[in-house]
Each structure stands twice: as structure tokens, then as C-alpha cells.
PDB file of all heavy atoms in Angstrom:
ATOM      1  N   TRP A  28       0.884  -1.160   0.000  1.00  0.00           N
ATOM      2  CA  TRP A  28       0.000   0.000   0.000  1.00  0.00           C
ATOM      3  C   TRP A  28       0.926   1.215   0.000  1.00  0.00           C
ATOM      4  O   TRP A  28       1.705   1.405   0.932  1.00  0.00           O
ATOM      5  CB  TRP A  28      -0.894   0.006   1.243  1.00  0.00           C
ATOM      6  CG  TRP A  28      -1.911  -1.080   1.228  1.00  0.00           C
ATOM      7  CD1 TRP A  28      -1.855  -2.266   1.903  1.00  0.00           C
ATOM      8  CD2 TRP A  28      -3.138  -1.091   0.515  1.00  0.00           C
ATOM      9  NE1 TRP A  28      -2.966  -3.014   1.641  1.00  0.00           N
ATOM     10  CE2 TRP A  28      -3.787  -2.314   0.789  1.00  0.00           C
ATOM     11  CE3 TRP A  28      -3.764  -0.189  -0.342  1.00  0.00           C
ATOM     12  CZ2 TRP A  28      -5.015  -2.649   0.261  1.00  0.00           C
ATOM     13  CZ3 TRP A  28      -4.996  -0.526  -0.875  1.00  0.00           C
ATOM     14  CH2 TRP A  28      -5.611  -1.747  -0.575  1.00  0.00           C
ATOM     15  N   PRO A  29       0.899   2.039  -1.050  1.00  0.00           N
ATOM     16  CA  PRO A  29       1.879   3.115  -1.178  1.00  0.00           C
ATOM     17  C   PRO A  29       1.673   4.306  -0.246  1.00  0.00           C
ATOM     18  O   PRO A  29       2.581   5.103  -0.069  1.00  0.00           O
ATOM     19  CB  PRO A  29       1.737   3.551  -2.636  1.00  0.00           C
ATOM     20  CG  PRO A  29       0.345   3.193  -3.000  1.00  0.00           C
ATOM     21  CD  PRO A  29       0.028   1.958  -2.215  1.00  0.00           C
ATOM     22  N   ARG A  30       0.497   4.447   0.337  1.00  0.00           N
ATOM     23  CA  ARG A  30       0.229   5.596   1.210  1.00  0.00           C
ATOM     24  C   ARG A  30      -0.165   5.121   2.596  1.00  0.00           C
ATOM     25  O   ARG A  30      -0.804   4.080   2.747  1.00  0.00           O
ATOM     26  CB  ARG A  30      -0.892   6.451   0.620  1.00  0.00           C
ATOM     27  CG  ARG A  30      -0.521   7.026  -0.756  1.00  0.00           C
ATOM     28  CD  ARG A  30      -1.616   7.837  -1.351  1.00  0.00           C
ATOM     29  NE  ARG A  30      -1.629   9.139  -0.693  1.00  0.00           N
ATOM     30  CZ  ARG A  30      -2.606  10.016  -0.851  1.00  0.00           C
ATOM     31  NH1 ARG A  30      -3.637   9.732  -1.601  1.00  0.00           N
ATOM     32  NH2 ARG A  30      -2.562  11.178  -0.248  1.00  0.00           N
ATOM     33  N   ALA A  31       0.194   5.909   3.584  1.00  0.00           N
ATOM     34  CA  ALA A  31      -0.211   5.614   4.958  1.00  0.00           C
ATOM     35  C   ALA A  31      -1.735   5.673   5.052  1.00  0.00           C
ATOM     36  O   ALA A  31      -2.390   6.401   4.298  1.00  0.00           O
ATOM     37  CB  ALA A  31       0.413   6.626   5.914  1.00  0.00           C
ATOM     38  N   ARG A  32      -2.290   4.894   5.970  1.00  0.00           N
ATOM     39  CA  ARG A  32      -3.749   4.822   6.094  1.00  0.00           C
ATOM     40  C   ARG A  32      -4.384   6.203   6.242  1.00  0.00           C
ATOM     41  O   ARG A  32      -5.395   6.496   5.610  1.00  0.00           O
ATOM     42  CB  ARG A  32      -4.115   3.946   7.298  1.00  0.00           C
ATOM     43  CG  ARG A  32      -3.844   2.476   7.088  1.00  0.00           C
ATOM     44  CD  ARG A  32      -4.031   1.715   8.405  1.00  0.00           C
ATOM     45  NE  ARG A  32      -3.821   0.295   8.251  1.00  0.00           N
ATOM     46  CZ  ARG A  32      -2.635  -0.294   8.338  1.00  0.00           C
ATOM     47  NH1 ARG A  32      -1.549   0.422   8.583  1.00  0.00           N
ATOM     48  NH2 ARG A  32      -2.534  -1.597   8.189  1.00  0.00           N
ATOM     49  N   HIS A  33      -3.828   7.040   7.088  1.00  0.00           N
ATOM     50  CA  HIS A  33      -4.449   8.341   7.354  1.00  0.00           C
ATOM     51  C   HIS A  33      -4.366   9.305   6.163  1.00  0.00           C
ATOM     52  O   HIS A  33      -5.051  10.323   6.158  1.00  0.00           O
ATOM     53  CB  HIS A  33      -3.862   8.985   8.611  1.00  0.00           C
ATOM     54  CG  HIS A  33      -2.410   9.320   8.513  1.00  0.00           C
ATOM     55  ND1 HIS A  33      -1.404   8.394   8.684  1.00  0.00           N
ATOM     56  CD2 HIS A  33      -1.798  10.491   8.250  1.00  0.00           C
ATOM     57  CE1 HIS A  33      -0.247   8.980   8.542  1.00  0.00           C
ATOM     58  NE2 HIS A  33      -0.451  10.252   8.283  1.00  0.00           N
ATOM     59  N   HIS A  34      -3.578   8.980   5.147  1.00  0.00           N
ATOM     60  CA  HIS A  34      -3.492   9.807   3.946  1.00  0.00           C
ATOM     61  C   HIS A  34      -4.389   9.299   2.814  1.00  0.00           C
ATOM     62  O   HIS A  34      -4.533   9.978   1.801  1.00  0.00           O
ATOM     63  CB  HIS A  34      -2.055   9.874   3.423  1.00  0.00           C
ATOM     64  CG  HIS A  34      -1.134  10.664   4.281  1.00  0.00           C
ATOM     65  ND1 HIS A  34      -1.317  11.999   4.552  1.00  0.00           N
ATOM     66  CD2 HIS A  34      -0.021  10.297   4.963  1.00  0.00           C
ATOM     67  CE1 HIS A  34      -0.360  12.426   5.341  1.00  0.00           C
ATOM     68  NE2 HIS A  34       0.442  11.403   5.613  1.00  0.00           N
ATOM     69  N   MET A  35      -4.978   8.143   2.973  1.00  0.00           N
ATOM     70  CA  MET A  35      -5.794   7.562   1.907  1.00  0.00           C
ATOM     71  C   MET A  35      -7.117   8.318   1.774  1.00  0.00           C
ATOM     72  O   MET A  35      -7.728   8.713   2.771  1.00  0.00           O
ATOM     73  CB  MET A  35      -6.031   6.073   2.182  1.00  0.00           C
ATOM     74  CG  MET A  35      -4.762   5.250   2.096  1.00  0.00           C
ATOM     75  SD  MET A  35      -4.983   3.510   2.525  1.00  0.00           S
ATOM     76  CE  MET A  35      -5.866   2.923   1.082  1.00  0.00           C
ATOM     77  N   THR A  36      -7.569   8.495   0.526  1.00  0.00           N
ATOM     78  CA  THR A  36      -8.817   9.205   0.259  1.00  0.00           C
ATOM     79  C   THR A  36      -9.782   8.421  -0.627  1.00  0.00           C
ATOM     80  O   THR A  36     -10.973   8.716  -0.640  1.00  0.00           O
ATOM     81  CB  THR A  36      -8.538  10.569  -0.424  1.00  0.00           C
ATOM     82  OG1 THR A  36      -7.805  10.341  -1.623  1.00  0.00           O
ATOM     83  CG2 THR A  36      -7.767  11.494   0.501  1.00  0.00           C
ATOM     84  N   ASP A  37      -9.295   7.441  -1.371  1.00  0.00           N
ATOM     85  CA  ASP A  37     -10.147   6.674  -2.278  1.00  0.00           C
ATOM     86  C   ASP A  37     -10.955   5.637  -1.487  1.00  0.00           C
ATOM     87  O   ASP A  37     -10.388   4.773  -0.813  1.00  0.00           O
ATOM     88  CB  ASP A  37      -9.284   5.973  -3.326  1.00  0.00           C
ATOM     89  CG  ASP A  37     -10.119   5.142  -4.270  1.00  0.00           C
ATOM     90  OD1 ASP A  37     -10.934   5.731  -5.005  1.00  0.00           O
ATOM     91  OD2 ASP A  37      -9.966   3.909  -4.259  1.00  0.00           O
ATOM     92  N   GLY A  38     -12.277   5.742  -1.578  1.00  0.00           N
ATOM     93  CA  GLY A  38     -13.158   4.866  -0.810  1.00  0.00           C
ATOM     94  C   GLY A  38     -12.961   3.386  -1.067  1.00  0.00           C
ATOM     95  O   GLY A  38     -12.986   2.570  -0.148  1.00  0.00           O
ATOM     96  N   VAL A  39     -12.748   2.992  -2.318  1.00  0.00           N
ATOM     97  CA  VAL A  39     -12.550   1.578  -2.656  1.00  0.00           C
ATOM     98  C   VAL A  39     -11.273   1.058  -2.016  1.00  0.00           C
ATOM     99  O   VAL A  39     -11.257   0.003  -1.385  1.00  0.00           O
ATOM    100  CB  VAL A  39     -12.528   1.363  -4.187  1.00  0.00           C
ATOM    101  CG1 VAL A  39     -12.141  -0.061  -4.529  1.00  0.00           C
ATOM    102  CG2 VAL A  39     -13.875   1.707  -4.800  1.00  0.00           C
ATOM    103  N   ALA A  40     -10.198   1.825  -2.140  1.00  0.00           N
ATOM    104  CA  ALA A  40      -8.922   1.409  -1.556  1.00  0.00           C
ATOM    105  C   ALA A  40      -9.004   1.375  -0.028  1.00  0.00           C
ATOM    106  O   ALA A  40      -8.462   0.466   0.608  1.00  0.00           O
ATOM    107  CB  ALA A  40      -7.807   2.342  -2.023  1.00  0.00           C
ATOM    108  N   ILE A  41      -9.684   2.350   0.559  1.00  0.00           N
ATOM    109  CA  ILE A  41      -9.841   2.374   2.019  1.00  0.00           C
ATOM    110  C   ILE A  41     -10.572   1.128   2.487  1.00  0.00           C
ATOM    111  O   ILE A  41     -10.141   0.455   3.429  1.00  0.00           O
ATOM    112  CB  ILE A  41     -10.586   3.648   2.470  1.00  0.00           C
ATOM    113  CG1 ILE A  41      -9.679   4.868   2.301  1.00  0.00           C
ATOM    114  CG2 ILE A  41     -11.059   3.523   3.910  1.00  0.00           C
ATOM    115  CD1 ILE A  41     -10.379   6.201   2.512  1.00  0.00           C
ATOM    116  N   ARG A  42     -11.664   0.790   1.830  1.00  0.00           N
ATOM    117  CA  ARG A  42     -12.433  -0.399   2.239  1.00  0.00           C
ATOM    118  C   ARG A  42     -11.628  -1.681   2.058  1.00  0.00           C
ATOM    119  O   ARG A  42     -11.691  -2.575   2.891  1.00  0.00           O
ATOM    120  CB  ARG A  42     -13.756  -0.469   1.488  1.00  0.00           C
ATOM    121  CG  ARG A  42     -14.744   0.546   1.994  1.00  0.00           C
ATOM    122  CD  ARG A  42     -16.086   0.388   1.325  1.00  0.00           C
ATOM    123  NE  ARG A  42     -16.965   1.446   1.787  1.00  0.00           N
ATOM    124  CZ  ARG A  42     -18.274   1.346   1.815  1.00  0.00           C
ATOM    125  NH1 ARG A  42     -18.870   0.251   1.408  1.00  0.00           N
ATOM    126  NH2 ARG A  42     -19.005   2.348   2.239  1.00  0.00           N
ATOM    127  N   ASP A  43     -10.867  -1.773   0.981  1.00  0.00           N
ATOM    128  CA  ASP A  43     -10.040  -2.962   0.763  1.00  0.00           C
ATOM    129  C   ASP A  43      -8.986  -3.109   1.861  1.00  0.00           C
ATOM    130  O   ASP A  43      -8.780  -4.198   2.397  1.00  0.00           O
ATOM    131  CB  ASP A  43      -9.358  -2.910  -0.601  1.00  0.00           C
ATOM    132  CG  ASP A  43     -10.318  -3.107  -1.759  1.00  0.00           C
ATOM    133  OD1 ASP A  43     -11.439  -3.609  -1.527  1.00  0.00           O
ATOM    134  OD2 ASP A  43      -9.946  -2.768  -2.890  1.00  0.00           O
ATOM    135  N   ARG A  44      -8.342  -1.999   2.196  1.00  0.00           N
ATOM    136  CA  ARG A  44      -7.290  -2.075   3.212  1.00  0.00           C
ATOM    137  C   ARG A  44      -7.874  -2.283   4.605  1.00  0.00           C
ATOM    138  O   ARG A  44      -7.321  -3.031   5.414  1.00  0.00           O
ATOM    139  CB  ARG A  44      -6.444  -0.805   3.177  1.00  0.00           C
ATOM    140  CG  ARG A  44      -5.186  -0.934   4.010  1.00  0.00           C
ATOM    141  CD  ARG A  44      -4.223   0.174   3.696  1.00  0.00           C
ATOM    142  NE  ARG A  44      -2.984   0.019   4.432  1.00  0.00           N
ATOM    143  CZ  ARG A  44      -1.990   0.876   4.382  1.00  0.00           C
ATOM    144  NH1 ARG A  44      -2.078   1.942   3.612  1.00  0.00           N
ATOM    145  NH2 ARG A  44      -0.907   0.682   5.090  1.00  0.00           N
ATOM    146  N   MET A  45      -9.016  -1.656   4.889  1.00  0.00           N
ATOM    147  CA  MET A  45      -9.687  -1.891   6.175  1.00  0.00           C
ATOM    148  C   MET A  45     -10.118  -3.348   6.294  1.00  0.00           C
ATOM    149  O   MET A  45     -10.047  -3.934   7.370  1.00  0.00           O
ATOM    150  CB  MET A  45     -10.908  -0.978   6.337  1.00  0.00           C
ATOM    151  CG  MET A  45     -10.614   0.388   6.836  1.00  0.00           C
ATOM    152  SD  MET A  45     -12.182   1.260   7.112  1.00  0.00           S
ATOM    153  CE  MET A  45     -11.639   2.431   8.322  1.00  0.00           C
ATOM    154  N   ALA A  46     -10.573  -3.921   5.186  1.00  0.00           N
ATOM    155  CA  ALA A  46     -10.969  -5.330   5.195  1.00  0.00           C
ATOM    156  C   ALA A  46      -9.763  -6.208   5.509  1.00  0.00           C
ATOM    157  O   ALA A  46      -9.878  -7.194   6.245  1.00  0.00           O
ATOM    158  CB  ALA A  46     -11.594  -5.720   3.860  1.00  0.00           C
ATOM    159  N   GLU A  47      -8.591  -5.877   4.978  1.00  0.00           N
ATOM    160  CA  GLU A  47      -7.378  -6.620   5.316  1.00  0.00           C
ATOM    161  C   GLU A  47      -7.083  -6.516   6.812  1.00  0.00           C
ATOM    162  O   GLU A  47      -6.724  -7.510   7.445  1.00  0.00           O
ATOM    163  CB  GLU A  47      -6.176  -6.084   4.531  1.00  0.00           C
ATOM    164  CG  GLU A  47      -6.131  -6.511   3.102  1.00  0.00           C
ATOM    165  CD  GLU A  47      -4.862  -6.073   2.392  1.00  0.00           C
ATOM    166  OE1 GLU A  47      -3.945  -5.524   3.032  1.00  0.00           O
ATOM    167  OE2 GLU A  47      -4.799  -6.310   1.180  1.00  0.00           O
ATOM    168  N   ASP A  48      -7.239  -5.320   7.364  1.00  0.00           N
ATOM    169  CA  ASP A  48      -7.011  -5.139   8.805  1.00  0.00           C
ATOM    170  C   ASP A  48      -8.008  -5.952   9.623  1.00  0.00           C
ATOM    171  O   ASP A  48      -7.646  -6.574  10.622  1.00  0.00           O
ATOM    172  CB  ASP A  48      -7.106  -3.661   9.182  1.00  0.00           C
ATOM    173  CG  ASP A  48      -5.932  -2.834   8.696  1.00  0.00           C
ATOM    174  OD1 ASP A  48      -4.881  -3.425   8.356  1.00  0.00           O
ATOM    175  OD2 ASP A  48      -6.064  -1.597   8.657  1.00  0.00           O
ATOM    176  N   ALA A  49      -9.270  -5.961   9.195  1.00  0.00           N
ATOM    177  CA  ALA A  49     -10.288  -6.728   9.910  1.00  0.00           C
ATOM    178  C   ALA A  49      -9.999  -8.223   9.837  1.00  0.00           C
ATOM    179  O   ALA A  49     -10.153  -8.950  10.825  1.00  0.00           O
ATOM    180  CB  ALA A  49     -11.680  -6.426   9.338  1.00  0.00           C
ATOM    181  N   ARG A  50      -9.558  -8.695   8.690  1.00  0.00           N
ATOM    182  CA  ARG A  50      -9.216 -10.115   8.554  1.00  0.00           C
ATOM    183  C   ARG A  50      -7.992 -10.462   9.414  1.00  0.00           C
ATOM    184  O   ARG A  50      -7.907 -11.556   9.965  1.00  0.00           O
ATOM    185  CB  ARG A  50      -8.953 -10.457   7.099  1.00  0.00           C
ATOM    186  CG  ARG A  50     -10.199 -10.327   6.260  1.00  0.00           C
ATOM    187  CD  ARG A  50     -10.566 -11.630   5.602  1.00  0.00           C
ATOM    188  NE  ARG A  50     -11.817 -11.449   4.897  1.00  0.00           N
ATOM    189  CZ  ARG A  50     -12.979 -11.919   5.330  1.00  0.00           C
ATOM    190  NH1 ARG A  50     -13.045 -12.595   6.432  1.00  0.00           N
ATOM    191  NH2 ARG A  50     -14.069 -11.719   4.654  1.00  0.00           N
ATOM    192  N   ALA A  51      -7.048  -9.544   9.539  1.00  0.00           N
ATOM    193  CA  ALA A  51      -5.892  -9.776  10.413  1.00  0.00           C
ATOM    194  C   ALA A  51      -6.354  -9.902  11.866  1.00  0.00           C
ATOM    195  O   ALA A  51      -5.843 -10.744  12.614  1.00  0.00           O
ATOM    196  CB  ALA A  51      -4.883  -8.639  10.267  1.00  0.00           C
ATOM    197  N   PHE A  52      -7.327  -9.092  12.266  1.00  0.00           N
ATOM    198  CA  PHE A  52      -7.909  -9.181  13.603  1.00  0.00           C
ATOM    199  C   PHE A  52      -8.538 -10.558  13.802  1.00  0.00           C
ATOM    200  O   PHE A  52      -8.341 -11.193  14.832  1.00  0.00           O
ATOM    201  CB  PHE A  52      -8.961  -8.075  13.777  1.00  0.00           C
ATOM    202  CG  PHE A  52      -9.626  -8.054  15.128  1.00  0.00           C
ATOM    203  CD1 PHE A  52      -9.105  -7.277  16.146  1.00  0.00           C
ATOM    204  CD2 PHE A  52     -10.778  -8.786  15.374  1.00  0.00           C
ATOM    205  CE1 PHE A  52      -9.716  -7.238  17.396  1.00  0.00           C
ATOM    206  CE2 PHE A  52     -11.389  -8.764  16.614  1.00  0.00           C
ATOM    207  CZ  PHE A  52     -10.857  -7.981  17.625  1.00  0.00           C
ATOM    208  N   GLU A  53      -9.280 -11.011  12.788  1.00  0.00           N
ATOM    209  CA  GLU A  53      -9.926 -12.324  12.866  1.00  0.00           C
ATOM    210  C   GLU A  53      -8.877 -13.434  12.985  1.00  0.00           C
ATOM    211  O   GLU A  53      -9.044 -14.374  13.773  1.00  0.00           O
ATOM    212  CB  GLU A  53     -10.793 -12.565  11.637  1.00  0.00           C
ATOM    213  CG  GLU A  53     -11.459 -13.930  11.664  1.00  0.00           C
ATOM    214  CD  GLU A  53     -12.027 -14.354  10.331  1.00  0.00           C
ATOM    215  OE1 GLU A  53     -11.515 -13.911   9.288  1.00  0.00           O
ATOM    216  OE2 GLU A  53     -12.971 -15.151  10.344  1.00  0.00           O
ATOM    217  N   GLU A  54      -7.811 -13.348  12.219  1.00  0.00           N
ATOM    218  CA  GLU A  54      -6.758 -14.372  12.275  1.00  0.00           C
ATOM    219  C   GLU A  54      -6.141 -14.449  13.670  1.00  0.00           C
ATOM    220  O   GLU A  54      -5.833 -15.521  14.154  1.00  0.00           O
ATOM    221  CB  GLU A  54      -5.661 -14.087  11.241  1.00  0.00           C
ATOM    222  CG  GLU A  54      -6.057 -14.371   9.818  1.00  0.00           C
ATOM    223  CD  GLU A  54      -6.198 -15.856   9.517  1.00  0.00           C
ATOM    224  OE1 GLU A  54      -5.506 -16.680  10.139  1.00  0.00           O
ATOM    225  OE2 GLU A  54      -7.010 -16.184   8.645  1.00  0.00           O
ATOM    226  N   LEU A  55      -5.959 -13.302  14.308  1.00  0.00           N
ATOM    227  CA  LEU A  55      -5.376 -13.271  15.646  1.00  0.00           C
ATOM    228  C   LEU A  55      -6.333 -13.763  16.717  1.00  0.00           C
ATOM    229  O   LEU A  55      -5.947 -14.500  17.619  1.00  0.00           O
ATOM    230  CB  LEU A  55      -4.960 -11.831  15.999  1.00  0.00           C
ATOM    231  CG  LEU A  55      -3.545 -11.507  15.606  1.00  0.00           C
ATOM    232  CD1 LEU A  55      -3.421 -10.074  15.166  1.00  0.00           C
ATOM    233  CD2 LEU A  55      -2.656 -11.762  16.798  1.00  0.00           C
ATOM    234  N   ARG A  56      -7.594 -13.320  16.642  1.00  0.00           N
ATOM    235  CA  ARG A  56      -8.568 -13.585  17.690  1.00  0.00           C
ATOM    236  C   ARG A  56      -9.445 -14.806  17.421  1.00  0.00           C
ATOM    237  O   ARG A  56     -10.064 -15.327  18.316  1.00  0.00           O
ATOM    238  CB  ARG A  56      -9.488 -12.379  17.865  1.00  0.00           C
ATOM    239  CG  ARG A  56      -8.806 -11.111  18.331  1.00  0.00           C
ATOM    240  CD  ARG A  56      -8.259 -11.256  19.697  1.00  0.00           C
ATOM    241  NE  ARG A  56      -8.380 -10.305  20.727  1.00  0.00           N
ATOM    242  CZ  ARG A  56      -9.322  -9.477  21.081  1.00  0.00           C
ATOM    243  NH1 ARG A  56     -10.399  -9.353  20.434  1.00  0.00           N
ATOM    244  NH2 ARG A  56      -9.235  -8.705  22.097  1.00  0.00           N
ATOM    245  N   GLY A  57      -9.543 -15.215  16.161  1.00  0.00           N
ATOM    246  CA  GLY A  57     -10.397 -16.348  15.818  1.00  0.00           C
ATOM    247  C   GLY A  57     -11.796 -15.947  15.398  1.00  0.00           C
ATOM    248  O   GLY A  57     -12.547 -16.757  14.871  1.00  0.00           O
ATOM    249  N   ASP A  58     -12.187 -14.708  15.652  1.00  0.00           N
ATOM    250  CA  ASP A  58     -13.490 -14.200  15.220  1.00  0.00           C
ATOM    251  C   ASP A  58     -13.440 -12.673  15.205  1.00  0.00           C
ATOM    252  O   ASP A  58     -12.395 -12.082  15.470  1.00  0.00           O
ATOM    253  CB  ASP A  58     -14.628 -14.697  16.118  1.00  0.00           C
ATOM    254  CG  ASP A  58     -14.450 -14.279  17.568  1.00  0.00           C
ATOM    255  OD1 ASP A  58     -13.831 -13.235  17.834  1.00  0.00           O
ATOM    256  OD2 ASP A  58     -14.943 -15.004  18.442  1.00  0.00           O
TER     257      ASP A  58
END
């Protein structure tokens, strides 16, 4: 991801990267 999260403005890219973060949370916690 070429830009830091707080600099991102494109909604599609934000949702894709947030989804990656949410999946990482799931991998760590199990749900």
C-alpha cells in the first residue's frame, strides 16, 4: 500500500485495506 492509512482518500482502496485489517484481527482472535 503506497500511502499511509491516514493519507488515503479513495473509498474503494480504504475499504479494501480496512478489510485486510479486519481479517488480520480475525486471524489473531479467531473471530
Side-chain angles (χ1 to χ4, degrees):
W28 291 101
R30 298 179 77 191
R32 289 171 178 87
H33 64 280
H34 289 299
M35 293 176 73
T36 57
D37 179 64
V39 172
I41 289 171
R42 286 185 184 206
D43 289 342
R44 191 166 183 183
M45 277 185 155
E47 283 185 6
D48 288 343
R50 294 240 176 255
F52 181 92
E53 179 195 27
E54 286 289 330
L55 270 145
R56 296 295 225 36
D58 60 28

